[in-house]
Amino acid sequence: GWAAPEALTAAGLDVFRTAIAQDAGGRVWVVWSQREGEVWDLVARSNDGRAWSAPRKLTNGNGPNFFHKLVRDRAGNLHLVWVGHQNARSHVMWSKLAGDNWGAAQEISGASAWMPDAAADSKGNLYVAWDSYRTGNYDIFMRRIGVDGDLGPLQQVTRSSRFQAHASVAVDGADRVWLAWDESGANWGKDYARDDTWRGTTLYSDRRPRVAVLENGRWSAPAADPMAAMPRRYDRYVEGPQLAADSTGRIWMALRARTSTAMNRADFWANNGRWDMFLTAYEGDRWRPAAQIPRSSTRPDGPFQLAPAGEGVWAASKDRPGGLSHGGVWAVWTHDNRQFPAAAGQPNRRHNEIDFARVDGASAVSTPVFVAFAEGPANAALIHPREASDIERARAYRAQTGGAELRILRGDFHRHTEISPDGAGDGSLEDYFRYMIDAAGMDTGIVSDHNAGVDEYTWWRTEKAIDLFKIPGGFTPLFGYERSVPYPNGHRNVVFAQRGVHVLPISPAESQGTVNTGPILYPYLKQNRGICMLHSLATDQGSDYRDNDPEVEPLVEIYQGYHANYEYEGAPRAESKDYNVMAHGPYRPSGFYWNALNQGLKLGTESSSDHISTHTSYTMIFSPSTDRRDMVESMRKRHTYGATDNIVLDFRARDRQGTEWMMGDAFDASAPAVLHVKVLGAGTIESVEVVKDGTFIYKMEPNADTAEFEFTDAAARNGSSWYYVRVIQADRNMAWSSPIWVTYTGR
């Protein structure tokens, strides 16, 4: 039977994942990641059969230490591998237990590494595998660590432009090293917008497992494709392979598949997704038909673990009463009891539990058959060959104004994951962070799942992940969610600098529009020092601007990659009465941005993605620092602009006294303001236009990568006017500054 649980940490600590193993002396070691301040360190305790040791901190990093694995080699030595951070870049780290002490952490991977796995052979060599974005796309890498700790050469196992991630390693009885991973398409996470769908691979368009085997220094592959083991109806979303070698040397592989959705569209959007686990094993020249594991419904990144069953275990069954088993594995997994279909407006998850089971080998092990390993053609051209330099240029840009120095932080404030009931085509929380950190190189953003998944548990998990992936000197995510109220109240993304704000429920009356959102939402935001942003303007998810409080609602989403430009009817990449996209229901032209400005509302601009879309929507924030509070307060001041590429746009105004004002500011003037515009394009700039009160009053056509000018509005008259700048590149990429509001007096 199970012993009583023992608490290894004090109550209230923030911890992430555990790893467990037994050393040669019989001590059981447990390692977990624990947050102190803004840093996650690895902590260990051991039990010698009498008592648990005191907690021991194993790392002292300047960023998160996580995704750790404990591996025991066949001599009983323990190895710890994990992801640590140095200078805001992730690396695979390794340490070995010597006696009672863990050796100094050693970096083994190079930069930009994810999720290591490891296994040891009979001679004590350790094989560590991981995936890395160091090549500009995710590839699989592996390294041997010898018995004496000598590092073998770094092996790049895959070299195509495909997405290749989630490495799993096992060593069979003949000391062959088996390596599995999952694949998706080329240019993963790059340009994908509703009107530009062919250049990039969305975060969750397909997944397939691949396997390679290292023997005597040469790579081969099993003679059979593991996809042949899966039921034919699951031929598109099969991922997360996990390998284990049992006591007979047989190789087992667990796979996760998206088994159902309530609705699927050709653009990869899907809702009410369900993932289940499958188990197969390699038998000579074939994989066993994959058996669906009962009661294994879960999320796409749900925990699952395989471990070899004991050698020579007597297992009784009706087919083999009292017979000796042929190896086999134990499996343990989380199961969230997903309903299908889910009730409208409710999460399809019900409650989480942990299940386990044993699967026997049932037959003698067959000699495995291999063929040459080949990736096949998939070397798509880079979409943005100069992207790295464009990102660094934006990060290095400084605006000196009003005695302050402001930098540009790039973010996305409208991205979903499978936590949203309609996010089955958006990928997991892990996919979100991979995209934001690597593929898009963002500095900040939120996870904007609908009402945080309509579940306190998913909100807790999201907020914890936001803290987990706060990388000092690198990515600094904010806390938020999408509050989804239909037109005319409108969908809004809410943003907070701090963790722990509860999700604000939506009443039926608010959804039906019989009460307004403002009196409900704005006090909640003021109490928690948050802000909100309307999105999907001019659609059935937008608003007619019946509510606004500039203290807490300073911005709107002027462009959305999944839908359109919401600037004004008929604008470039916008809807009109003759051209309806219909991604978000009926066309609602009262929601166009110019209508809000013409009502006198002071709303700045941002640009974000929504479902599916990637790499075409950027919220650019002029902020004094990367501190979370500074970012939110800069957005509150409307010191932002929206863009579809890494365009630097600096728009300011200067009054007669020489005082300078940033985009988003409002001021009084007795003489025409001097408008200063500077643009650093991500390509050739076709036009830079100044808009005043819904009229284009100045246009420059630089036909170059940069533009800079000053313009004075000689037609200025008494009263209030708004000005903003729009940039259009030759490649159709755009940027929109937040307006500057000027109230003229004495003219």
Side-chain angles (χ1 to χ4, degrees), residues 582-609:
M582 299 296 289
H584 294 311
Y587 177 52
R588 303 281 190 176
S590 61
F592 279 116
Y593 180 51
W594 278 15
N595 293 337
L597 296 179
N598 288 332
Q599 290 179 34
L601 301 184
K602 290 182 171 59
L603 289 166
T605 64
E606 55 98 358
S607 172
S608 293
S609 297

Side-chain angles (χ1 to χ4, degrees), residues 189-201:
K190 297 302 183 183
D191 293 15
Y192 188 96
R194 182 207 52 78
D195 61 352
D196 189 4
T197 62
W198 61 273
R199 292 196 294 169
T201 296

Side-chain angles (χ1 to χ4, degrees), residues 454-492:
V454 204
D455 190 318
E456 284 291 333
Y457 171 71
T458 53
W459 179 225
W460 167 83
R461 189 162 68 88
T462 299
E463 289 196 294
K464 181 175 178 176
I466 292 293
D467 267 341
L468 191 69
F469 282 95
K470 184 180 186 301
I471 302 168
F475 185 58
T476 306
L478 298 171
F479 303 95
Y481 61 91
E482 177 177 331
R483 196 165 184 273
S484 307
V485 188
Y487 184 91
N489 277 317
H491 288 215
R492 288 171 168 88

Side-chain angles (χ1 to χ4, degrees), residues 38 412-413 432 444-449 451-452 456 459 462-463 466-467 470 476-483 492-505 520-533 551-555 621 626-636:
E38 294 189 344
D412 191 338
F413 289 85
Y432 167 88
T444 187
I446 63 170
V447 178
S448 61
D449 283 318
N451 307 308
E456 284 291 333
W459 179 225
T462 299
E463 289 196 294
I466 292 293
D467 267 341
K470 184 180 186 301
T476 306
L478 298 171
F479 303 95
Y481 61 91
E482 177 177 331
R483 196 165 184 273
R492 288 171 168 88
N493 291 321
V494 300
V495 181
F496 304 100
Q498 74 280 6
R499 182 173 170 180
V501 180
H502 288 285
V503 175
L504 182 65
I520 299 168
L521 177 61
Y522 298 154
Y524 160 82
L525 294 174
K526 290 178 180 179
Q527 179 182 355
N528 296 292
R529 199 59 190 166
I531 61 171
C532 69
M533 299 170 282
E551 180 184 346
V552 292
E553 189 166 21
L555 305 174
I621 307 167
T626 59
D627 179 84
R628 282 172 166 161
R629 290 166 295 185
D630 280 348
M631 282 192 271
V632 174
E633 294 310 306
S634 296
M635 296 167 75
R636 195 187 308 277

Side-chain angles (χ1 to χ4, degrees), residues 376-424:
N379 288 304
L382 288 175
I383 294 176
H384 294 275
R386 61 179 247 187
E387 180 173 26
S389 61
D390 286 344
I391 290 174
E392 288 310 308
R393 182 188 62 187
R395 287 175 174 164
Y397 191 84
R398 296 293 183 269
Q400 308 286 343
T401 181
E405 182 179 80
L406 305 179
R407 66 184 67 193
I408 295 175
L409 301 176
R410 303 157 51 261
D412 191 338
F413 289 85
H414 192 180
R415 292 213 61 80
H416 292 275
T417 76
E418 60 80 25
I419 289 173
S420 287
D422 61 349

Side-chain angles (χ1 to χ4, degrees), residues 635-654:
M635 296 167 75
R636 195 187 308 277
K637 294 175 181 177
R638 303 180 295 268
H639 289 173
T640 63
Y641 64 96
T644 66
D645 204 346
N646 292 300
I647 299 168
V648 172
L649 172 55
D650 189 344
F651 173 44
R652 310 183 211 177
R654 190 171 64 251

